[in-house]
Amino acid sequence: VQLQASGGGLVQAGGSLRLSCTASKRTFSNNAVGWFRQAPGKEREFVASIDWRGSATSYADNVQGRFTITRDNVKVYLQMNSLKPEDTAVYYCAVSRFSYGGREVGNIAYWGQGTQVTVSS
């Protein structure tokens, strides 16, 4: 399975971006999916996750209320509003081995290649 993340770019603080994640060769309709990010010099961190049905979501405290994760059978989206310079990072989508959860790195089966998000002040 290859995951393709897209939608990153350069935006001013306070702006919005919408990231998308798709899978080649098979769908992830039965799996939880998470978004993670890694800023330069920092460890990869959890951002948001969604279960296989799209009914349960989870967010990191520092994005709660600004980011929204949604999905359909083909794609998983991360709507990012009120962006801050500290949101600058490479964002990765990741498919869990399980149908629920998606925020545990140890349960990730597949990682996407990442998309750069840069927020200027």
Side-chain angles (χ1 to χ4, degrees):
V1 174
Q2 289 184 326
L3 299 176
Q4 179 73 39
S6 61
L10 174 64
V11 65
Q12 289 187 332
S16 299
L17 286 173
R18 189 192 195 203
L19 306 184
S20 298
C21 178
T22 58
S24 63
K25 299 184 179 180
R26 57 165 288 180
T27 68
F28 41 65
S29 58
N30 294 323
N31 302 81
V33 177
W35 284 96
F36 296 76
R37 68 187 183 186
Q38 187 167 18
K42 295 187 177 180
E43 294 187 352
R44 189 171 299 188
E45 64 174 359
F46 167 76
V47 176
S49 65
I50 189 166
D51 74 344
W52 71 284
R53 293 185 299 176
S55 59
T57 58
S58 180
Y59 297 93
D61 289 343
N62 54 6
V63 306
Q64 180 77 47
R66 300 188 297 121
F67 291 10
T68 304
I69 187 171
T70 57
R71 69 182 298 163
D72 55 33
N73 285 340
V74 180
K75 293 186 178 182
V76 174
Y77 306 93
L78 185 68
Q79 178 67 43
M80 305 186 296
N81 298 329
S82 302
L83 283 162
K84 304 175 181 180
E86 52 262 44
D87 293 319
T88 295
V90 177
Y91 284 70
Y92 301 88
C93 61
V95 176
S96 174
R97 294 183 178 87
F98 305 108
S99 297
Y100 295 95
R103 64 182 297 160
E104 302 82 8
V105 172
N107 292 338
I108 297 300
Y110 305 103
W111 290 93
Q113 89 291 355
T115 184
Q116 176 70 47
V117 171
T118 303
V119 184
S120 63
S121 58

